[in-house]
Amino acid sequence: MKVSLITLLFAFWTLGSWTQVSSFIDEVDPNIGAAHSRWFFYTPAANPFGMAKPAASTNGHYGNKWGWEAVGYDQRHTSIESFVNFHEFQIGGVAVMPSVANLQTTPGSLESPDEGYRSRFSRESELAQPGYYRVKLDDYDIMAELTSTPRVALHRYTFPESKQAHLIFDIGNRQGESGAVTDAFVHRVSETRFEGFVQTLPEYVKNYQPGAQVKMYFVAELDHSPKGFGTFVGKETQPSSESVQGPGCGMYFNFETKENESVTVKIGLSYTSIANARLNLKTEAADLDFDQAKKQAQDYWNSMLGRIAIDGGQAADRIKFYTGLYHALLGRGLASDCNGAYVKNNGVIGQIPLDENEQPLYHHYNTDAVWGAFWNLTQLWGIAYPDYLNEFVNCQLDIYRDCGWLADGIASSKFVSGVGTNFMGQVIASAYNRGIRNYPVDLAFEAVWRNETGWQNRPQGVGKADTQVFLERGYVPYAENTAYYTGSSAEASQFSASHTLEYSFSAYAAAQMAQSLQKDSAYKQLIALSSGWEKLFDPSTGFIRPKDIQGNFLDNFDPYQVWRGFQEGNAYQYTFYVPHDPEGLIKKIGRKKFTQRLDTLFLKAQETAFGGGKTIDAFAGLQNVYNHGNQPSLHIAWLFNFSGAPWLTQKWVRQICHEFYGNDGIHGYGYGQDEDQGQLGAWYVMASMGLFDVKGGSDAEPNLQLGTPLFQKVRIQLHPDFYPGQEFVIEVKGNPATQNYIHSATFNGKSHTNFQLSWDDFIKGGRLILNASDEPNKRWGTK
């Protein structure tokens, strides 16, 4: 992942012409929402989309029971146990910890830090920025600093004067979402270099691809020769031992340090081999010292964040904006090496095609499920990062070539479906619809078609285990299913109604791609499937309602009830899950009734800050009428645009931005809500710019719905490899901090009265001027 010439040009343009922000990284606060946060979330020293994510961990070795719960770094904790280098969905490992005095080789507990090598710390000594992290370890008087290149972690530890200074490399223990360690190895190969691996069995891999495991390799290089070394397994140490293998193993190095003497370690990482970890280290960091790597990382962050420049508005909102953008560029990290090697689903090493300069044409990435990502991440990537979205598609097509299926979520190419569905077809179709097509299009449609209609010998790990019954009936019937991760079989599903709605939506996206490619037979079948939601609409209640195997609506229906037909939500929320046909849903409910019902819903949701209130739990808002802390609700506030009341979209989107999102460790993305790899942050970025697509790019000719930005100006750089325009600028006339409503608008000097702007107009660039007002203009955007 090289910083290309065009990226640097983007950076120079941004930093040279935008006066509001002298350095975009200064507007990011990684500690926002850092209580009850997911494993990837707190990794400030990483590069954008980096493999190396060295970060402080307060409870990473505790692991988590189901594989998804919050673990790693919690703002409420007062001690740090180590600094871990791999941080991805279902992936974690290779921990480092400095210490002085007596050597300890286990981390100890949060309740009793002195029992292990962990150390207390204070927030006052902590500095977190994109590309850099620093904290004082109070128990040892050691300053710890972290930075990275895309595939190399750099640690610098500044010690007090001590004859008993140590660096502890804890390799063989569970970290975060990694799951149990099944094997580990570390070997000293020279006075200052050592290498090894850790192999784990993540909970999701264990359930979605039984027998598969995730292996992480490393090569580490010290800049100081140690005075001594040894290995350990748990608390048992072996001084002067040069290698050790097995769960619980690690290696330590002893130093005699002067006051303020620093020891730096560079750690090359890889998922394929020790040799490629060594190559990554040599290629990216052989000639870099710590400060040079830090500058390079922060310059890269500035260039990526600076693709969207904002001016004006409230300082707190600008910090929310760039912190959200930071998380959207952080969550899904590199999985391939600098030479294009990657791990195939079956464990064999694959190779990305190379260009004429022997450089990979694209890269591979790890990813959580893209459940709901079409309302945040993929929209944002399409707008400002089409180069990354294009790479993401190519990565998925390699997986399709390798195993015959698109993967909903992957950890080093192993299946980690996440929620038992699969929206990767929608992601690919939406990229195609947006004109992002630098990949084999025929193969892409083949993969999309199979994802939507293939059921024979479909692996559990690619999701949609109930595809066959959806094809046969046009909806999925309900049956209780105790399978925790999928809840589905070929005949029925615990999540029958939500699956019907999801499959209808993704079929629609695939249908538009089929029609564009003149695949008429496929189009007809897919567009018929896209109306499956209608089979579950109950006119007597006005809700989407699950049906049983016999085709009857379930009795004892409670629209607040979670899990009975609905995954991580209920009928109040999921009834609005018809993003591809909002007009059809509005017609069934009635336009006036629809608007009134939606407005009442948000009045009720506001009582709990549009989520779970102040309860710190990822699922706190599941039973509410609206839950911004989880994906199924994220488009609902924008539906007023389609019912003839766009001013209510402008009102409620603004309220969600102000009340759900906060600026501190506890109140960040809700109160400890589930920020799945940048999705809630990306939603805020889209909403605060006043841009959104309810259909998530699924239309053959996509549109962007308009809202009121929170800033005076927004300038989006359009990538020259994908779009004909240079930039798209939004300017607000009035006070965006207090004036919530659009009174009138012009686009490129002409009156604009539609609540939508076509994607084609967006990518050609131009200037959208919105005249803001205190009171709603109930005529604007209604024709």
Side-chain angles (χ1 to χ4, degrees):
M1 182 184 282
K2 297 174 294 182
V3 181
S4 66
L5 176 61
I6 194 66
T7 299
L8 291 175
L9 290 174
F10 280 167
F12 295 151
W13 176 89
T14 302
L15 296 175
S17 67
W18 209 255
T19 58
Q20 179 67 46
V21 180
S22 59
S23 176
F24 293 98
I25 63 173
D26 293 338
E27 297 284 319
V28 176
D29 182 358
N31 287 84
I32 288 176
H36 192 78
S37 62
R38 291 286 293 274
W39 176 239
F40 98 94
F41 185 91
Y42 196 77
T43 55
N47 272 236
F49 303 123
M51 177 188 295
K53 292 181 177 175
S57 174
T58 62
N59 64 345
H61 90 278
Y62 282 58
N64 52 23
K65 181 179 180 181
W66 299 108
W68 62 266
E69 305 98 316
V71 67
Y73 180 94
D74 192 316
Q75 179 109 5
R76 298 166 295 180
H77 294 162
T78 58
S79 64
I80 288 171
E81 66 178 30
S82 64
F83 301 94
V84 184
N85 293 282
F86 284 98
H87 279 83
E88 299 289 355
F89 180 61
Q90 301 301 293
I91 295 174
V94 185
V96 185
M97 188 63 181
S99 69
V100 295
N102 294 331
L103 174 69
Q104 297 191 80
T105 54
T106 59
S109 66
L110 288 163
E111 295 77 16
S112 302
D114 296 328
E115 292 177 353
Y117 54 61
R118 71 168 59 239
S119 171
R120 299 166 184 84
F121 74 108
S122 66
R123 301 291 166 196
E124 289 72 21
S125 74
E126 188 177 53
L127 176 64
Q129 299 173 328
Y132 177 68
Y133 177 82
R134 183 183 73 212
V135 68
K136 181 75 171 296
L137 300 175
D138 291 337
D139 290 349
Y140 304 126
D141 193 24
I142 294 172
M143 183 64 73
E145 297 174 276
L146 308 173
T147 190
S148 67
T149 71
R151 299 175 181 85
V152 180
L154 289 90
H155 301 234
R156 182 165 67 188
Y157 300 107
T158 302
F159 288 87
E161 182 178 1
S162 175
K163 294 186 179 299
Q164 288 183 291
H166 315 287
L167 277 182
I168 303 153
F169 292 83
D170 193 341
I171 308 302
N173 285 305
R174 182 175 188 155
Q175 297 293 342
E177 293 179 0
S178 72
V181 171
T182 59
D183 197 9
F185 172 72
V186 59
H187 173 62
R188 179 176 178 263
V189 295
S190 74
E191 191 172 14
T192 57
R193 179 171 285 195
F194 56 103
E195 59 194 30
F197 67 81
V198 57
Q199 183 172 278
T200 64
L201 184 59
E203 297 302 319
Y204 276 48
V205 174
K206 184 167 65 179
N207 284 277
Y208 281 117
Q209 192 172 349
Q213 300 188 61
V214 171
K215 205 166 187 178
M216 294 156 272
Y217 300 89
F218 73 93
V219 171
E221 189 172 87
L222 299 164
D223 73 339
H224 278 47
S225 296
K227 296 295 183 181
F229 61 90
T231 62
F232 62 87
V233 176
K235 293 183 178 181
E236 298 297 320
T237 61
Q238 291 290 330
S240 302
S241 169
E242 293 193 330
S243 66
V244 64
Q245 187 163 0
C249 76
M251 181 166 276
Y252 64 86
F253 296 89
N254 302 325
F255 301 88
E256 291 183 9
T257 55
K258 299 175 183 177
E259 183 72 20
N260 293 323
E261 183 176 356
S262 295
V263 177
T264 297
V265 58
K266 301 177 184 178
I267 308 175
L269 306 176
S270 173
Y271 294 105
T272 64
S273 67
I274 288 175
N276 277 338
R278 189 180 303 117
L279 178 65
N280 291 337
L281 175 60
K282 178 181 178 181
T283 302
E284 294 185 357
D287 299 324
L288 289 180
D289 64 23
F290 185 94
D291 291 324
Q292 290 169 330
K294 173 188 172 184
K295 183 180 186 305
Q296 180 177 288
Q298 296 202 309
D299 286 348
Y300 189 19
W301 271 111
N302 270 323
S303 72
M304 292 290 275
L305 294 169
R307 291 196 191 184
I308 306 177
I310 58 174
D311 195 1
Q314 300 294 309
D317 294 334
R318 293 196 301 272
I319 290 172
K320 288 182 193 177
F321 178 91
Y322 280 112
T323 303
L325 185 55
Y326 152 81
H327 280 125
L329 301 177
L330 183 68
R332 291 150 199 263
L334 277 166
S336 56
D337 297 317
C338 61
N339 62 1
Y342 71 96
V343 181
K344 293 185 179 183
N345 179 260
N346 63 2
V348 173
I349 305 305
Q351 176 63 51
I352 297 167
L354 304 178
D355 63 16
E356 64 276 7
N357 297 315
E358 298 298 307
Q359 297 299 310
L361 291 174
Y362 49 87
H363 301 93
H364 271 224
Y365 297 90
N366 291 301
T367 174
D368 192 354
V370 292
W371 198 54
F374 33 78
W375 290 322
N376 36 67
L377 286 174
T378 58
Q379 290 192 43
L380 180 58
W381 297 343
I383 282 174
Y385 307 93
D387 46 342
Y388 176 75
L389 180 53
N390 193 83
E391 284 197 290
F392 195 81
V393 172
N394 273 298
C395 169
Q396 291 297 323
L397 294 182
D398 276 343
I399 294 167
Y400 177 74
R401 290 186 187 97
D402 293 342
C403 65
W405 299 92
L406 292 174
D408 180 45
I410 51 172
S412 190
S413 291
K414 306 303 185 293
F415 295 139
V416 287
S417 179
V419 287
T421 60
N422 191 322
F423 274 109
M424 204 56 69
Q426 193 281 338
V427 170
I428 294 173
S430 69
Y432 176 86
N433 293 339
R434 292 184 174 108
I436 301 168
R437 302 174 182 177
N438 189 12
Y439 45 81
V441 169
D442 287 342
L443 181 70
F445 181 74
E446 177 187 313
V448 170
W449 169 256
R450 192 169 198 206
N451 193 54
E452 299 307 313
T453 64
W455 58 269
Q456 292 177 314
N457 301 315
R458 187 178 186 116
Q460 180 175 323
V462 301
K464 300 180 72 163
D466 43 10
T467 298
Q468 181 181 358
V469 71
F470 178 67
L471 296 175
E472 292 171 350
R473 295 196 182 197
Y475 71 95
V476 179
Y478 173 83
E480 291 188 17
N481 190 317
T482 57
Y484 177 81
Y485 289 93
T486 65
S488 303
S489 68
E491 295 79 28
S493 175
Q494 177 87 18
F495 311 128
S496 58
S498 57
H499 283 192
T500 298
L501 298 166
E502 291 167 337
Y503 301 169
S504 298
F505 174 40
S506 58
Y508 176 85
Q512 306 314 301
M513 186 179 183
Q515 188 176 45
S516 297
L517 295 171
Q518 299 182 326
K519 298 182 182 294
D520 295 337
S521 176
Y523 169 77
K524 289 177 182 178
Q525 182 174 347
L526 290 164
I527 203 66
L529 290 171
S530 74
S531 63
W533 67 274
E534 297 184 50
K535 294 178 171 60
L536 297 188
F537 184 82
D538 177 13
S540 69
T541 63
F543 286 100
I544 293 291
R545 184 173 176 180
K547 286 183 176 179
D548 60 21
I549 294 287
Q550 288 72 40
N552 302 312
F553 284 122
L554 294 188
D555 57 7
N556 301 317
F557 173 66
D558 177 2
Y560 281 100
Q561 187 174 4
V562 183
W563 306 116
R564 190 178 184 228
F566 301 98
Q567 189 162 20
E568 300 185 25
N570 58 27
Y572 268 110
Q573 298 161 24
Y574 269 105
T575 292
F576 297 102
Y577 201 120
V578 191
H580 57 294
D581 189 13
E583 296 89 350
L585 179 64
I586 291 165
K587 185 176 180 180
K588 285 189 178 296
I589 295 176
R591 183 174 298 272
K592 183 177 180 181
K593 184 177 180 180
F594 180 93
T595 300
Q596 291 174 339
R597 177 172 163 184
L598 205 56
D599 194 36
T600 302
L601 176 146
F602 281 105
L603 284 167
K604 177 69 174 175
Q606 194 173 25
E607 296 174 5
T608 53
F610 305 101
K614 295 186 178 181
T615 301
I616 300 178
D617 186 281
F619 285 167
L622 294 194
Q623 284 190 285
N624 291 353
V625 294
Y626 174 88
N627 180 25
H628 198 78
N630 214 325
Q631 289 88 332
S633 292
L634 295 183
H635 67 300
I636 297 176
W638 296 85
L639 292 176
F640 292 106
N641 279 326
F642 296 90
S643 69
W647 67 92
L648 289 173
T649 282
Q650 296 155 32
K651 171 186 175 179
W652 288 115
V653 167
R654 178 66 64 95
Q655 294 306 312
I656 293 167
C657 285
H658 285 332
E659 297 177 36
F660 179 84
Y661 293 88
N663 283 84
D664 59 59
I666 302 294
H667 182 198
Y669 299 94
Y671 285 81
Q673 292 283 337
D674 191 7
E675 165 62 319
D676 277 340
Q677 290 196 290
Q679 292 200 48
L680 291 175
W683 190 96
Y684 184 91
V685 171
M686 295 295 299
S688 63
M689 291 192 298
L691 299 173
F692 196 82
D693 182 6
V694 164
K695 301 186 181 186
S698 292
D699 272 342
E701 297 180 357
N703 294 287
L704 291 167
Q705 290 87 60
L706 304 178
T708 319
L710 286 166
F711 313 106
Q712 207 79 51
K713 290 182 181 178
V714 177
R715 181 175 291 176
I716 302 167
Q717 300 172 49
L718 300 176
H719 200 295
D721 290 350
F722 295 90
Y723 302 142
Q726 292 185 339
E727 64 180 19
F728 183 85
V729 178
I730 305 170
E731 185 173 350
V732 176
K733 300 292 187 182
N735 186 348
T738 59
Q739 295 181 305
N740 298 350
Y741 300 102
I742 299 172
H743 183 267
S744 61
T746 62
F747 179 62
N748 288 341
K750 297 181 180 179
S751 177
H752 188 83
T753 59
N754 197 320
F755 69 83
Q756 299 192 108
L757 183 74
S758 74
W759 181 258
D760 189 55
D761 281 337
F762 169 77
I763 64 175
K764 289 177 182 175
R767 183 175 296 270
L768 176 67
I769 297 177
L770 302 173
N771 295 299
S773 65
D774 298 310
E775 299 296 327
N777 178 356
K778 296 184 179 182
R779 295 187 301 275
W780 184 85
T782 59
K783 296 182 181 179

